[in-house]
């Protein structure tokens, strides 16, 4: 595994300076004409803390090395130049096709991902008439980044026996409940994978439990060796607050020993996830070229299909699978009334629990929970097993897609669209009507 690059030196790293030049230089920048791929703008938070700013720029430079034919730029939400809108408008103006991809360099789907970056994308795109921009997925939770956090946590524990050490997994904190819930799940996974005795949850801002409350909870449970594991990318004010609050708590609890794990930092794993998000987004940047999926019909009669999640989407999909003759295994702690009735009649096998990584040996998988982290894990396991998987929350995150389907005159008509369900449904209805008029 890559280790973070050193930061905080008086002079900026040469790669960081080179990246800054590529962001700010004018149209005559050397080598710009040789970049033939769709440009990538990495949308980062921004900070006045120089080590964190340097480390972010080194990550951008690392991504550039992985995408040598792509003009890779950094744009920032705040505090650091250039703003996202400026960086985006510049690459769009230079791009022959006036196209670009924006990937948020963010671990969680908070306000920046949901609002600030999309607004900046709109502002940048409107400066270049006729341009097209695709917004990629945020970074987390990704298993590769989780493995980095596990390594950082173990490094901090050092000689402490992990079975006698507790961890406080520290997130940024946001007003969005789903984002905070994703961090709670991440905390449990990191603690179990690292081998700590117990997991405790905390947030550095906005919501509870605070870092002090998380440390209090660990202390009250008997922990005297505690590792604080910040789920941050780079140094900045959040890390400064973490050190200050940890030091204040430790001073009030002299019989406890607290260590702070290192951040994810500039590493191959982080850059690889950014590159993957870029390639995912490219599949949505082909107007007029149709869906990137290859159309095929699955013969599922007598074959097992795993459905993870028991909500309304599963309620719609499972009966269709049964109609195709599939043997459906449903994993979910709770299901809709319709799915419960199917289970009661023995038409599906319902395992009343949360998904625990046990994929089994299905022919086809549908990840349909309301947790993006769980869906991502199901899709990853399916890909590792070479089993096609549909992700209900993010079509680009799976290896299969479900079409809008209709039947007429003994024919099945399906439409694979551009991730606009209403448009796909209208196209299906039009196709069914047109086929019906042929008879």
């Amino acid at each position: 595994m890559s280790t973070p690059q050193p930061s905080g030196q008086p002079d900026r790293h040469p790669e960081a300076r080179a990246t800054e030049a590529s962001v700010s230089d004018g149209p005559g920048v050397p080598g710009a004409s040789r970049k033939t791929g769709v440009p990538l703008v990495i949308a980062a938070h921004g900070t006045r803390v120089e080590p964190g700013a340097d480390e972010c720029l080194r990550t951008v430079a690392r991504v550039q090395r992985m995408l040598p034919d792509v003009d890779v730029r950094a744009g920032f939400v705040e505090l650091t130049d250039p703003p996202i809108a400026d960086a985006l408008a510049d690459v769009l103006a230079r791009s022959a096709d006036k196209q670009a991809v924006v990937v948020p360099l963010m671990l969680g789907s908070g306000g920046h991902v949901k609002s600030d970056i999309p607004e900046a994308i709109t502002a940048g795109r409107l400066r270049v008439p006729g341009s097209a921009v695709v917004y990629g997925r945020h970074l987390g939770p990704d298993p590769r980044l989780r493995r980095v956090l596990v390594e950082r946590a173990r490094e901090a524990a050092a000689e402490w026996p992990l079975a006698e050490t507790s961890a406080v997994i520290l997130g940024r904190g946001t007003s969005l409940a789903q984002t905070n819930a994703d961090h709670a799940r991440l905390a449990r996974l990191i603690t179990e994978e690292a081998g700590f005795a117990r997991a405790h949850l905390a947030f550095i801002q906005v919501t509870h439990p605070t870092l002090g409350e998380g440390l209090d909870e660990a202390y009250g449970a008997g922990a005297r060796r505690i590792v604080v594991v910040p789920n941050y990318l780079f140094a900045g004010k959040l890390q400064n607050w973490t050190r200050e609050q940890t030091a204040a708590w430790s001073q009030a609890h002299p019989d406890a020993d607290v260590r702070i794990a290192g951040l994810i930092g500039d590493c191959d794993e982080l850059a690889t996830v950014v590159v993957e998000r870029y390639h995912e987004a490219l599949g949505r940047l082909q107007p007029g070229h149709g869906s990137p999926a290859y159309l095929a019909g699955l013969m599922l009669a007598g074959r097992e299909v795993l459905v993870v999640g028991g909500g309304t989407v599963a309620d719609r999909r499972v009966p269709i699978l049964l109609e195709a003759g599939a043997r459906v295994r449903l994993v979910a702690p709770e299901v809709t009334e319709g799915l419960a009735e199917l289970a009661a009649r023995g038409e599906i096998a319902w395992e009343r629990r949360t998904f625990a990584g046990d994929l089994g040996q299905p022919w086809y998988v549908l990840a349909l929970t309301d947790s993006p982290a769980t869906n991502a894990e199901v899709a990853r396991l399916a890909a590792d097993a070479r089993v096609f998987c549909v992700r209900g929350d993010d079509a680009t995150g799976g290896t299969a897609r479900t079409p809008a389907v209709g039947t007429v005159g003994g024919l099945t008509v399906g439409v694979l669209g551009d991730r606009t369900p209403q448009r796909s449904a209208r196209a299906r209805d039009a196709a069914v009507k047109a086929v019906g008029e042929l008879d």
Side-chain angles (χ1 to χ4, degrees), residues 227-418:
V227 175
V228 176
V229 186
N231 185 31
Y232 312 151
L233 288 177
F234 310 120
K237 65 180 181 180
L238 299 185
Q239 185 69 344
N240 292 341
W241 293 345
T242 300
R243 293 194 188 99
E244 293 167 2
Q245 294 178 27
T246 300
W249 188 91
S250 295
Q251 188 173 4
H253 301 80
D255 58 331
D257 196 351
V258 184
R259 297 174 180 175
I260 301 175
L263 307 183
I264 291 174
D266 169 38
C267 59
D268 282 342
E269 291 82 356
L270 175 58
T272 298
V273 175
V274 173
V275 171
E276 183 176 283
R277 298 295 187 266
Y278 168 77
H279 285 304
E280 286 178 0
L282 281 180
R284 311 201 310 269
L285 195 59
Q286 300 296 329
H289 288 248
S291 171
Y294 177 81
L295 283 170
L298 298 181
M299 308 305 292
L300 296 175
R303 296 186 168 101
E304 181 178 298
V305 173
L306 172 63
V307 178
V308 182
T312 55
V313 178
D315 191 77
R316 294 196 304 268
R317 301 279 174 84
V318 167
I320 299 172
L321 292 168
L322 293 176
E323 188 176 346
R327 293 187 294 107
V328 175
R329 180 165 67 93
L330 177 65
V331 176
E334 297 179 357
V335 299
T336 65
E337 183 177 337
L339 291 172
E341 290 178 0
L342 290 175
R345 294 199 300 265
E347 296 184 40
I348 63 174
W350 175 24
E351 299 178 16
R352 193 167 186 169
R353 58 181 177 80
T354 57
F355 181 74
D358 47 343
L359 199 67
Q361 294 183 314
W363 286 73
Y364 189 48
V365 177
L366 290 84
L368 305 177
T369 77
D370 59 3
S371 165
T374 299
N375 292 339
E377 186 73 0
V378 173
R380 183 187 67 81
L381 291 171
D384 289 346
R386 297 188 177 184
V387 176
F388 286 105
C389 175
V390 171
R391 263 190 76 168
D393 63 318
D394 179 13
T396 65
T399 52
R401 299 186 182 182
T402 301
V405 174
T407 58
V408 58
L411 299 176
T412 298
V413 176
V415 175
L416 282 173
D418 56 358

